[in-house]
Amino acid sequence: MKNLNTLIDGISQTLHQNSVSHCFLGNIKASLRDIDIFIPKKYILLSEEKLVSFLGIRGYRFLYIKRNSYSSQIYFTDKTYSVILNIDLMPEISFRGIPYINWEDVKNRIVLNNDNICTLPESELQLYQEIKEVLLNVNGDSLNRKASNIQENRFLSILLKELKNSKFTFLRFFVIMLFKAPKNCLFGCINNLWRKVVNIFNPQGKVVCFLGPDGAGKSTQIDYLSESFFGKSIKVFYLFPGFFKRYRPQGEAQVNIDPHKRPLYSKIFSIIKLFIFSIEYILGYFFIIRPGLVKGHNVIFDRYYFDFLVDKTRYRLDVNDIFIRFFILFMPKPDVVIVLSGDPGILHDRKKEVPIEEAIRQIEKYESLKCKNLYIVNNDKDPKIAKIKIVDIIYESYNVKR
């Protein structure tokens, strides 16, 4: 990534040139991936447009914008997709919808640091950071208590002291804010409740599933996304959502080098097993997957229900495709389905778990699946090339959704 100080300076100049009042929050020099900017609400849309243009010129690729009532989060990446840059434009800082710092609180306290960047006095930045850590349930004893004696911003000092002196609860925070700004506090609670209701019907998280034959590189691509794309807000499932407990042999996991060696179940038992699989997918979605999506978490599946249609022998199913297609009608659908494909010979050389003829058949079957939001990505060359295409696909789905 380009020099961060130069980047911060360029962002600051861009905002100044467009007469946008602002100030940077946090430890600017340490903000390698997250840059927080306090800004009046009326300048949010203008700032989004100008920053997307500026960073595009600097070689950053715009990914998507996530907007809500208290911030606008703009996501960029470098050309290799190795680093995700997040710029937060905030007209206020809130906790669970209740704003505890707004632009009016800071506009007269802005100073220029040694690099001529608009920010706040170092002591106040320390206060903001400590309050943020307390509200994120960080152990107060590990914080620097000297900040709680600072009187440059009396309210923040009192708030931090109160939060540290007892076990933090949202009710205590609510009472403190109710005395400071009753109107904003009540409005924030109502707004937060409304956003939760909206998120129930329109979750912010994504379900992405990877399909493909053995050797297609599903695990590699999932690892890429886990490390540099979704980060901590990701959970990975293998085939099932984990609603039913599975009993497996104890000890180290071993790779199944012959997934077709076991005999098929009887037709009756196959239908029963398929029905149980279907129940698990439905219950697992509503009790495990959906709650995480509502909170904005993302989910990745390594294989999905469609695999039963492509490779019945692996799962010992002796049923007609009609039964599987019927059950698919009732299955929760992923937001994005990535089919990793490529030259059968190359993929087969990576993992020779099935004959080359079977690998060819599976590739054809995967590519012919009829599914909404299905994308075929060749992964028979450098996996990083496929990674760029996959990230493009997923972020485009965010833009379409929003």
Side-chain angles (χ1 to χ4, degrees):
M1 179 174 279
K2 296 177 176 64
N3 183 273
L4 183 62
N5 290 333
T6 303
L7 180 64
I8 296 293
D9 184 61
I11 292 174
S12 179
Q13 289 184 24
T14 300
L15 296 176
H16 278 303
Q17 290 169 2
N18 290 277
S19 302
V20 176
S21 302
H22 67 279
C23 77
F24 288 82
L25 296 176
N27 186 345
I28 299 176
K29 294 183 179 180
S31 302
L32 183 59
R33 297 192 179 189
D34 295 291
I35 300 175
D36 296 337
I37 307 176
F38 225 152
I39 198 168
K41 194 169 186 178
K42 63 181 180 180
Y43 292 129
I44 293 290
L45 294 179
L46 173 63
S47 301
E48 287 177 355
E49 176 186 349
K50 299 303 180 182
L51 291 180
V52 169
S53 175
F54 164 73
L55 288 166
I57 296 173
R58 294 293 301 272
Y60 287 88
R61 183 182 180 86
F62 167 71
L63 294 174
Y64 79 102
I65 296 177
K66 179 181 179 181
R67 299 186 181 94
N68 50 46
S69 60
Y70 52 85
S71 72
S72 177
Q73 300 175 344
I74 317 175
Y75 291 86
F76 301 87
T77 183
D78 58 1
K79 292 180 180 179
T80 63
Y81 284 76
S82 59
V83 174
I84 302 297
L85 172 65
N86 173 27
I87 299 179
D88 282 358
L89 303 177
M90 302 179 296
E92 63 188 25
I93 301 178
S94 62
F95 177 66
R96 295 189 183 178
I98 300 179
Y100 60 91
I101 305 171
N102 57 44
W103 178 255
E104 295 299 318
D105 294 327
V106 303
K107 68 178 183 180
N108 295 324
R109 313 176 75 86
I110 298 175
V111 297
L112 291 177
N113 65 10
N114 295 332
D115 299 317
N116 289 322
I117 301 298
C118 292
T119 184
L120 295 173
E122 183 176 349
S123 56
E124 288 204 29
L125 288 177
Q126 187 179 15
L127 271 172
Y128 287 130
Q129 185 61 32
E130 291 204 44
I131 292 174
K132 181 178 179 181
E133 290 179 359
V134 173
L135 295 180
L136 289 174
N137 294 324
V138 174
N139 183 2
D141 293 334
S142 65
L143 302 178
N144 182 359
R145 291 181 175 271
K146 293 181 180 179
S148 60
N149 297 320
I150 297 174
Q151 298 299 320
E152 291 186 19
N153 191 321
R154 186 170 177 273
F155 165 70
L156 290 181
S157 298
I158 294 173
L159 175 61
L160 180 60
K161 184 176 181 180
E162 288 296 314
L163 293 177
K164 284 184 177 182
N165 284 343
S166 63
K167 184 177 180 181
F168 171 72
T169 63
F170 175 69
L171 179 60
R172 187 176 184 84
F173 176 77
F174 177 81
V175 171
I176 294 172
M177 294 308 304
L178 189 61
F179 280 100
K180 176 179 184 287
K183 182 178 179 181
N184 288 345
C185 185
L186 294 175
F187 177 78
C189 282
I190 295 173
N191 184 54
N192 186 50
L193 179 62
W194 172 249
R195 283 191 292 108
K196 287 184 176 180
V197 172
V198 171
N199 286 343
I200 291 175
F201 297 97
N202 183 30
Q204 301 301 298
K206 289 273 184 191
V207 177
V208 180
C209 87
F210 283 84
L211 304 176
D214 295 313
K218 297 184 292 295
S219 298
T220 300
Q221 294 301 330
I222 290 173
D223 288 342
Y224 278 147
L225 292 183
S226 302
E227 293 172 1
S228 62
F229 177 51
F230 284 130
K232 294 183 179 179
S233 63
I234 180 179
K235 190 163 187 180
V236 179
F237 295 90
Y238 177 78
L239 187 61
F240 297 99
F243 187 79
F244 294 147
K245 183 177 180 180
R246 290 190 152 66
Y247 296 93
R248 301 190 182 280
Q250 298 296 318
E252 295 183 2
Q254 295 181 351
V255 177
N256 186 359
I257 60 175
D258 188 4
H260 291 177
K261 69 178 180 179
R262 296 179 298 175
L264 299 179
Y265 294 121
S266 67
K267 292 184 181 297
I268 297 297
F269 191 78
S270 294
I271 294 176
I272 294 174
K273 188 172 183 178
L274 190 63
F275 178 75
I276 295 175
F277 288 165
S278 303
I279 294 297
E280 175 168 11
Y281 268 86
I282 294 173
L283 295 179
Y285 177 79
F286 286 104
F287 287 96
I288 297 177
I289 306 299
R290 185 83 178 188
L293 299 179
V294 170
K295 295 178 182 179
H297 300 167
N298 301 287
V299 172
I300 292 182
F301 272 91
D302 182 349
R303 300 185 181 274
Y304 200 69
Y305 199 95
F306 308 111
D307 255 55
F308 303 142
L309 188 63
V310 174
D311 192 4
K312 292 180 289 186
T313 306
R314 176 187 291 267
Y315 307 104
R316 306 172 67 184
L317 298 175
D318 185 12
V319 295
N320 191 286
D321 287 357
I322 294 176
F323 288 98
I324 302 177
R325 294 185 188 278
F326 173 76
F327 283 119
I328 286 177
L329 294 176
F330 302 95
M331 293 304 104
K333 304 302 186 296
D335 295 289
V336 179
V337 179
I338 304 291
V339 173
L340 295 177
S341 187
D343 182 275
I346 296 177
L347 302 188
H348 183 259
D349 286 341
R350 293 176 181 170
K351 284 188 178 180
K352 299 181 180 180
E353 297 177 1
V354 296
I356 182 66
E357 295 78 15
E358 173 63 13
I360 294 173
R361 186 198 67 81
Q362 288 185 17
I363 291 174
E364 293 176 350
K365 192 83 170 181
Y366 279 119
E367 293 183 350
S368 64
L369 286 173
K370 303 297 182 183
C371 177
K372 186 179 179 181
N373 299 326
L374 184 145
Y375 302 87
I376 299 173
V377 178
N378 283 342
N379 193 31
D380 53 8
K381 295 181 176 63
D382 186 351
K384 292 183 179 179
I385 297 176
K387 170 193 171 184
I388 292 176
K389 294 180 181 179
I390 292 169
V391 174
D392 273 339
I393 291 170
I394 296 176
Y395 270 120
E396 181 59 30
S397 72
Y398 270 97
N399 290 326
V400 170
K401 184 174 182 177
R402 289 171 173 75

